[in-house]
């Protein structure tokens, strides 16, 4: 019997029906405890007497609840109502793949995008020993935000005949076990009643991908038996004959999935996903068979040959593009292997000297821990387990132990530890400002410390004794990743300040550092080449978005030749490490961005729960600022392939472009709307070298775009829109100036190393941030106030450097509420997530506004208050990264 609106199932209140099928009725419901809407699946009353069905329903709950992956439906709870079991899941907005396919085949690019996500989801399930057994378009959901989700894990053991899609439970085959699955999507071994495993899901995956690309079912007959016979004996019609936009390489992947013999298919979903991802990364173009040789007449060997040639041609095209855009590039065909598939962020990979293992970091129990995985395969092993964060693992020369860095809790220094490679009791080696590195003879450490107002690069014995200063460095920079050269004669390191980083090298016996790179953009780690002739480094060169930009891998030689770009695409490659054979490991990062509106009056978790998502798209959207009356938002977006300013209404409608930069060397950021709605201040690298910024102002209609100040940013307007405050960057300090929007010369305001101005609504008090000495490896900040703006300053709060978001370039920018009572800023929490915090303008403790729990979240650079000071607009990014092994990209 259908449930009516208002019916209570435990704590859940039914709102409306969503659908029904052979395994249950599905309803929209509300969880009043958390204030969120959910979906509830209830086993129908007529089936309650079927003990097997009840048991299989419980199997679904157990299977699904053990999975935690962005491409698998999230199960929240299970319960019973009047003896009927129910399952509580996340509520999805969108449509099933079956519903989408009613309109015909998908564009090849979109089908590939969904296939990659499905491959990741299947890999996560298979690694937990869970096989879906009933993968089909009906069990794949396409969300409005572009993600796809696999539904109904465990249901392959639950199926019963449904009118619209019969199953094969009654086919007259000799069975070793029950024949479970859906006609047309089952693997040959399922049809025969043999045991299904992960490779069976891969066959079903191939059937689904075939249907996405062709709009037709791969196997279909007049009866279920005819369809089963086709699965066992026939090949589907040729994809290349029906869609010339499908590449032979993609066709080859589908065919490989659909091999009748499980031994001849992909042997893991992880490998399948990597093959698909390589096509996504290499090219969007299509390569069709020659016009005089129809694809349907090609034999399978010829098709495979064409697929190989297609990949080779694509690789050659990528080389040509890289040569024209970066001077030269690697001509070898690259091979990608994904080593991890956890949900969340896996980072800082390090290859063991014997080439057998990779160490990396990932979350475990709310802390970053060290893990090790054999390159030959197997499940990663957690090495550290104590309640502290651990970073940057590095191997001993014999591959028998690891060193790693734990940031400080309260004291100025963190600690470098050593632990056996297979786990054990760690022992402290020395205190340090950041991560350390072991020399190749295993006898010396290189690390940073702070002494006498300077940062020192130090070399010591393994236990930290007998320290020798290699070089002394200016304290206004942040220093990281000390790395011994392969012959131990040099040490390289990364130097960073705000958005500008470069790599330097210094003789290990002491001397003057010299730069290896001259990019002046954000960077995320590097590694020496095996012969010591140069480095592979991660940087945002070429990105036109300033915050959370895409990082690619580059090659720089000590000889000073032009850098060579090694990777391309929209995903980031960070924290590279290079093996003795030239293989590269890196953390490959995917980010999903959207604009949100969060209330501020509740608890941090309540505010997140009641947040309103304003955009749903696949590109980047960042740093929103609200206009007069909260009617519209201006924000940074890479829509169209380049970062520019856009305006939209809160409901997502009425979107229009404000700036129109196309130069790939120009980046933009931080639009700030004047209270009268007439002007927008923003920063750009236009007419600058590297990521040096200038402050510009443009009218809201896109006219009158003009320069205000060079080497400037962190802007804010007075309430009457007559004055614009901003900070100017000098080599070793910052100062705040203001300028009349009516024209004239800028007026000096503060010279006490001041950035991030925020002026009170009455114009009488200035709030700002001030970078402090580098005592913990990253710059600490103070939030200060002054009334009048150039008067004596008073300290409001100290911000430890470890809480300052690295993704923002180690900077703090408080934003004052319209009622003048609070300053909003973005800070890291203990788990590494970036959350919104507020600070009372009259002094007091910081209060957390958002708490995203274990979700890996980043909020980009700056937020904006609503007119009533009760909500905050922010650009939220959720990230996922995996460790990958890349071979063949070094020239």
């Amino acid at each position: 019997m259908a449930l009516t609106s208002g019916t209570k199932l435990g704590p859940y209140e039914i709102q409306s029906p969503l659908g029904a099928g052979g395994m249950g009725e599905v309803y929209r419901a509300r969880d009043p405890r958390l204030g969120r809407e959910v979906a509830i699946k209830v086993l129908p009353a007529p089936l309650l007497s079927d003990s097997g069905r009840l048991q299989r329903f419980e199997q679904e709950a157990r299977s699904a609840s053990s999975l935690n992956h962005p491409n698998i439906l999230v199960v929240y709870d299970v319960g019973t109502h009047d003896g009927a079991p129910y399952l509580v899941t996340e509520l999805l907005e969108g449509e099933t793949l079956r519903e989408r396919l009613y309109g015909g085949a998908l564009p090849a690019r979109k089908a590939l995008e969904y296939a990659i996500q499905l491959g990741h989801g299947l890999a996560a399930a298979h690694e937990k020993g869970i096989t879906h057994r009933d993968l089909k378009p009906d069990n794949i959901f396409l969300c409005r935000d572009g993600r796809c989700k696999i539904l109904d894990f465990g249901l392959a053991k639950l199926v019963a005949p449904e009118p619209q899609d019969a199953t094969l439970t009654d086919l007259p085959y000799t069975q070793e076990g029950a024949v479970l699955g859906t006609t047309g999507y089952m693997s040959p071994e399922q049809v025969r009643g043999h045991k299904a495993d992960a490779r069976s899901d891969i066959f079903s995956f191939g059937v689904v991908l075939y249907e996405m690309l062709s709009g037709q079912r791969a196997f279909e007959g007049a009866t279920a038996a005819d369809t089963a016979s086709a699965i066992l004996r026939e090949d589907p019609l040729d994809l290349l004959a029906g869609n010339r936009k499908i590449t032979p390489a993609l066709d080859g992947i589908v065919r490989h999935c659909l091999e009748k013999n499980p031994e001849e298919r992909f042997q893991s979903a992880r490998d399948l996903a990597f093959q698909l991802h390589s096509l996504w990364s290499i090219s969007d173009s299509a390569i069709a068979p020659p016009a005089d040789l129809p694809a349907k007449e090609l034999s399978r060997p010829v098709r495979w040959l064409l697929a190989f040639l297609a990949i080779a041609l694509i690789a050659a095209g990528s080389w040509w593009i890289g040569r024209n855009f970066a001077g030269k590039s690697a001509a070898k065909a690259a091979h990608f292997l994904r080593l991890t598939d956890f949900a969340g962020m896996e980072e800082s990979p390090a290859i063991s000297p014997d080439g057998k293992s990779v160490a990396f970091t990932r979350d475990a129990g709310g802390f970053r821990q060290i893990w090790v995985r054999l390159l030959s395969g197997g499940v990663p092993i957690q090495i550290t387990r104590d309640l502290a964060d651990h970073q940057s693992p590095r191997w001993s020369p014999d591959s028998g132990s690891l060193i790693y860095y734990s940031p400080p809790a309260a004291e100025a220094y963190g600690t470098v530890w050593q632990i056996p490679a297979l786990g054990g009791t760690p022992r402290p080696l020395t205190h340090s400002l950041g991560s350390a590195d072991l020399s190749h003879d295993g006898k010396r450490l290189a690390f940073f410390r702070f002494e006498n107002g300077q940062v020192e690069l130090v070399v010591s014995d393994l236990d930290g004794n007998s320290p020798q200063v290699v070089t002394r460095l200016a304290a206004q920079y942040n220093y990281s990743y000390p790395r011994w050269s392969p012959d131990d004669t040099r040490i390289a390191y990364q130097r960073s300040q705000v958005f500008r980083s470069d790599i330097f090298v210094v003789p290990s016996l002491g001397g003057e550092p010299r730069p290896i790179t001259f990019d002046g953009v954000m960077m995320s780690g590097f590694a020496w080449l095996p012969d010591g002739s140069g480095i592979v480094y991660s940087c945002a060169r070429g990105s036109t978005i300033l915050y959370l930009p895409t990082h690619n891998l580059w090659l720089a030689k000590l000889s000073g030749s032009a850098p060579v770009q090694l990777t391309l695409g929209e995903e980031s490659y960070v924290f590279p490490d290079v093996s003795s054979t030239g293989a590269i490991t890196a953390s490959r990062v995917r980010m999903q961005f959207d604009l949100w509106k969060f209330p501020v009056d509740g608890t941090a978790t309540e505010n997140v729960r009641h947040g309103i998502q304003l955009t749903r798209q696949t590109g980047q959207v960042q740093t929103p600022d609200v206009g007069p009356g909260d009617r519209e938002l201006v924000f940074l977006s890479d829509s169209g392939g380049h970062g520019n300013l856009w305006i939209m209404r809160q409901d997502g409608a009425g979107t229009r472009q404000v700036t129109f930069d196309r130069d790939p060397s120009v980046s933009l950021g931080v639009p700030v709307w004047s209270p009268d709605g007439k002007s927008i201040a923003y920063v750009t690298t236009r007419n600058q070298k590297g990521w040096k910024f200038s402050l510009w102002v443009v009218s809201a209609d896109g006219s009158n775009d003009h320069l205000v100040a060079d080497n400037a940013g962190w802007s804010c307007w007075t309430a009457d829109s007559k004055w614009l405050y901003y900070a100017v960057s000098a080599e070793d300090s910052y100062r705040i100036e203001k300028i009349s929007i009516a024209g004239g010369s800028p007026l000096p305001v503060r010279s006490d190393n001041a950035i991030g101005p925020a002026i009170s609504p009455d114009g009488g008090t200035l709030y700002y941030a001030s970078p402090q000495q580098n005592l913990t490896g990253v710059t600490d900040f103070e939030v200060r106030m002054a009334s009048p703006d150039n008067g004596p300053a008073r300290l409001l709060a100290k911000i430890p450097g470890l809480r300052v978001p690295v993704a923002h370039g180690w900077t703090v920018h408080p934003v004052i509420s319209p009622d003048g009572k609070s300053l909003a800023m973005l800070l890291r929490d203990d788990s590494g997530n970036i959350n919104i915090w507020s600070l009372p303008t009259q002094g007091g403790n910081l209060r957390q506004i958002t708490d995203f729990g274990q979700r890996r979240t980043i909020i980009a650079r700056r937020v904006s208050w609503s007119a009533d000071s009760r909500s905050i607009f922010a650009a939220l990014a959720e990230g996922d990264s995996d460790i990958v092994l890349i071979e063949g990209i070094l020239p």
Side-chain angles (χ1 to χ4, degrees):
M1 179 177 179
L3 300 177
T4 58
S5 177
T7 302
K8 292 289 187 67
L9 274 70
Y12 307 101
E13 182 176 336
I14 298 296
Q15 293 182 329
S16 61
L18 291 175
M23 269 311 302
E25 300 163 347
V26 185
Y27 297 88
R28 179 190 296 267
R30 179 173 175 79
D31 182 353
R33 300 168 302 175
L34 299 177
R36 69 180 173 193
E37 291 188 329
V38 298
I40 294 183
K41 178 183 289 185
V42 184
L43 199 64
L47 301 175
L48 295 182
S49 59
D50 186 340
S51 60
R53 184 64 61 87
L54 287 171
Q55 181 180 357
R56 293 192 292 270
F57 191 91
E58 294 172 358
Q59 167 69 22
E60 178 192 2
R62 287 193 298 270
S63 297
S65 62
S66 68
L67 300 174
N68 181 16
H69 192 274
N71 298 119
I72 297 175
L73 180 73
V74 176
V75 173
Y76 294 138
D77 194 8
V78 293
T80 58
H81 173 71
D82 292 339
Y86 62 83
L87 189 69
V88 184
T89 72
E90 63 179 319
L91 181 65
L92 302 179
E93 300 290 343
E95 61 184 347
T96 66
L97 177 58
R98 170 67 65 213
E99 292 168 324
R100 177 70 63 86
L101 287 173
Y102 288 149
L106 304 182
R109 184 71 170 171
K110 180 59 68 174
L112 181 58
E113 177 187 337
Y114 289 146
I116 292 171
Q117 296 185 54
L118 294 174
H120 287 309
L122 281 180
H126 292 169
E127 288 184 359
K128 286 186 173 290
I130 299 173
T131 305
H132 192 286
R133 303 170 191 255
D134 195 25
L135 194 66
K136 57 185 178 181
D138 312 72
N139 287 338
I140 297 169
F141 199 89
L142 308 181
C143 303
R144 290 178 181 172
D145 63 3
R147 297 189 184 188
C148 67
K149 299 259 189 179
I150 304 174
L151 314 179
D152 293 347
F153 266 92
L155 276 183
K157 295 182 178 180
L158 317 176
V159 294
E162 298 184 27
Q164 72 273 22
D165 213 345
T167 61
L168 301 183
T169 52
D170 57 350
L171 287 180
Y173 296 125
T174 301
Q175 301 180 352
E176 296 176 8
V179 181
L180 299 171
T182 300
T183 308
Y185 299 94
M186 296 166 59
S187 64
E189 56 270 26
Q190 286 175 287
V191 171
R192 292 188 173 100
H194 295 171
K195 182 179 180 180
D197 59 19
R199 296 170 299 180
S200 303
D201 280 351
I202 289 174
F203 186 93
S204 300
F205 175 97
V207 177
V208 171
L209 180 53
Y210 180 97
E211 191 168 342
M212 284 195 287
L213 293 167
S214 68
Q216 304 295 323
R217 297 200 181 195
F219 306 102
E220 190 168 25
T223 67
D226 292 335
T227 301
S229 178
I231 290 173
L232 293 174
R233 298 176 179 84
E234 300 175 10
D235 290 330
L237 296 176
D238 202 303
L239 279 174
L240 298 178
N243 187 343
R244 297 184 63 84
K245 291 186 177 181
I246 298 173
T247 65
L250 180 55
D251 174 69
I253 289 176
V254 175
R255 299 287 172 178
H256 195 31
C257 291
L258 295 179
E259 293 287 355
K260 307 299 185 186
N261 184 350
E263 298 296 330
E264 297 179 5
R265 297 176 205 145
F266 289 102
Q267 295 300 291
S268 75
R270 176 169 48 190
D271 292 342
L272 169 59
F274 255 104
Q275 292 296 324
L276 290 166
H277 202 283
S278 68
L279 295 186
W280 178 276
S281 300
I282 292 173
S283 176
D284 294 341
S285 63
I287 301 176
D292 58 350
L293 186 60
K296 64 181 179 181
E297 296 179 8
L298 298 178
S299 66
R300 178 169 295 182
V302 173
R303 286 199 300 268
W304 277 102
L305 177 60
L306 283 176
F308 173 80
L309 291 175
I311 294 175
L313 288 171
I314 291 170
S318 297
W319 173 85
W320 184 88
I321 292 171
R323 181 182 180 89
N324 281 271
F325 282 95
K328 68 175 183 177
S329 184
K332 302 176 183 178
H335 174 67
F336 287 74
L337 177 64
R338 178 161 45 84
L339 301 178
T340 65
D341 192 25
F342 296 109
M345 307 292 284
E346 293 94 68
E347 298 170 323
S348 302
I351 303 177
S352 60
D354 63 11
K356 296 180 179 180
S357 304
V358 61
F360 60 93
T361 65
R362 72 171 291 256
D363 289 333
F367 295 95
R368 302 298 289 174
Q369 302 290 354
I370 308 298
W371 296 67
V372 170
R373 181 197 188 275
L374 293 174
L375 291 179
S376 60
V379 179
I381 301 172
Q382 185 176 343
I383 303 302
T384 60
R385 296 182 179 276
D386 48 318
L387 301 180
D389 281 318
H390 305 312
Q391 302 171 355
S392 302
R394 305 293 297 167
W395 289 91
S396 62
D398 63 1
S399 301
S401 65
L402 291 156
I403 66 169
Y404 61 87
Y405 173 70
S406 292
E411 65 274 14
Y413 285 105
T415 304
V416 179
W417 300 80
Q418 186 176 34
I419 191 171
L422 296 180
T425 303
R427 70 183 185 98
L429 300 180
T430 188
H431 294 300
S432 171
L433 286 181
S435 61
D437 195 33
L438 271 168
S439 61
H440 293 80
D441 61 12
K443 298 179 180 179
R444 293 174 291 171
L445 283 175
F447 58 94
F448 293 104
R449 70 182 186 185
F450 187 83
E451 293 287 340
N452 301 317
Q454 289 185 302
V455 175
E456 295 179 343
L457 175 60
V458 174
V459 169
S460 75
D461 297 339
L462 184 59
D463 58 5
N465 293 327
S466 305
Q468 301 293 319
V469 177
V470 176
T471 188
R472 292 181 172 86
L473 304 164
Q476 70 264 26
Y477 295 96
N478 296 312
Y479 302 92
S480 54
Y481 312 117
R483 295 289 183 263
W484 292 88
S485 63
D487 62 4
D488 289 338
T489 62
R490 290 162 293 187
I491 300 173
Y493 59 89
Q494 179 176 309
R495 188 187 80 175
S496 304
Q497 186 182 50
V498 190
F499 293 95
R500 297 172 56 81
S501 300
D502 272 303
I503 312 298
F504 288 74
V505 64
V506 62
S508 58
L509 295 179
E512 287 298 316
R514 69 178 183 89
I516 302 176
T517 67
F518 301 87
D519 294 63
V521 301
M522 290 185 71
M523 294 183 177
S524 293
F526 69 96
W528 284 93
L529 293 175
D531 62 2
S533 63
I535 60 168
V536 173
Y537 65 104
S538 169
C539 83
R541 182 175 181 174
S543 176
T544 60
I545 295 285
L546 292 181
Y547 319 109
L548 310 175
T550 299
H551 284 66
N552 275 294
L553 299 182
W554 290 73
L555 171 66
K557 290 297 190 76
L558 298 184
S559 62
S561 57
V564 176
Q565 188 169 356
L566 302 178
T567 62
L568 299 167
E570 297 179 351
E571 296 177 329
S572 286
Y573 294 86
V574 296
F575 309 120
D577 193 36
V578 182
S579 74
S580 59
T581 62
I584 299 173
T585 57
S587 179
R588 186 178 62 187
V589 184
R590 301 173 66 184
M591 304 293 294
Q592 174 67 40
F593 298 82
D594 274 302
L595 300 184
W596 287 76
K597 179 181 180 181
F598 296 105
V600 302
D601 296 333
T603 66
T605 54
E606 289 172 346
N607 292 336
V608 169
R609 190 163 58 245
H610 295 117
I612 300 173
Q613 187 172 352
L614 304 179
T615 62
R616 297 179 185 273
Q617 84 306 302
T618 57
Q620 294 194 48
V621 286
Q622 298 180 359
T623 59
D625 197 62
V626 67
D630 294 354
R631 291 185 297 274
E632 293 181 311
L633 296 168
V634 61
F635 57 95
L636 178 65
S637 172
D638 66 350
S639 178
H642 194 289
N644 275 294
L645 305 188
W646 293 71
I647 290 175
M648 75 170 193
R649 296 204 308 259
Q650 274 202 56
D651 61 5
T655 303
R656 64 184 188 276
Q657 191 170 351
V658 179
T659 63
F660 296 86
D661 277 284
R662 301 298 303 169
D663 186 341
S665 67
V666 173
S667 302
L668 287 82
V670 199
V672 182
W673 213 330
S674 62
D676 63 9
K678 296 180 179 179
S679 303
I680 299 168
Y682 67 100
V683 296
T684 177
T685 60
R686 197 181 298 146
N687 303 328
Q688 300 280 353
K689 181 180 179 181
W691 277 17
K692 286 186 176 180
F693 308 114
S694 53
L695 181 65
W696 290 59
V697 169
V698 62
S699 297
D701 62 4
S703 64
N704 192 30
D705 195 7
H706 62 280
L707 174 69
V708 173
D710 284 322
N711 299 320
W714 298 279
S715 61
C716 77
W717 296 89
T718 55
D720 59 8
S721 302
K722 293 181 178 180
W723 290 88
L724 182 64
Y725 283 73
Y726 57 89
V728 177
S729 172
E731 181 63 26
D732 58 356
S733 65
Y734 301 90
R735 66 180 185 274
I736 291 177
E737 297 177 347
K738 64 181 178 181
I739 191 169
S740 171
I741 196 65
S745 300
L747 301 178
V749 178
R750 304 209 66 85
S751 58
D752 51 340
N753 205 24
I755 64 171
I759 194 72
S760 63
D762 62 8
T765 304
L766 175 69
Y767 302 89
Y768 63 98
S770 177
Q772 301 300 293
Q773 285 185 322
N774 184 343
L775 298 177
T776 60
V778 289
T779 303
D780 298 333
F781 279 79
E782 291 183 355
V783 178
R784 301 172 178 173
M785 63 179 294
S787 183
D789 58 14
N790 60 353
R794 179 166 72 88
L795 176 66
L796 281 182
K798 290 180 177 289
I799 308 296
L802 293 172
R803 299 197 61 190
V804 178
V806 177
H808 299 171
W810 287 292
T811 190
V812 172
H813 192 168
V815 181
I816 195 165
S817 58
D819 62 12
K821 295 180 180 179
S822 301
L823 297 169
M825 63 191 77
L826 299 170
L827 300 175
R828 285 160 47 99
D829 58 23
D830 293 337
S831 66
N833 286 343
I834 297 177
N835 275 288
I836 305 171
W837 296 70
S838 69
L839 177 68
T841 53
Q842 297 306 309
N845 295 326
L846 284 162
R847 183 173 76 89
Q848 190 169 355
I849 299 298
T850 61
D851 183 358
F852 297 96
Q854 296 303 308
R855 293 162 56 189
R856 256 315 173 111
T857 55
I858 299 175
I859 300 177
R861 182 60 172 81
R862 188 183 188 273
V863 298
S864 178
W865 290 89
S866 62
D868 61 6
S869 302
R870 300 187 62 184
S871 300
I872 287 180
F873 296 87
L876 178 68
E878 293 198 53
D880 185 88
S881 66
D882 295 307
I883 305 302
V884 297
L885 180 71
I886 313 170
E887 296 177 305
I889 65 171
L890 289 176

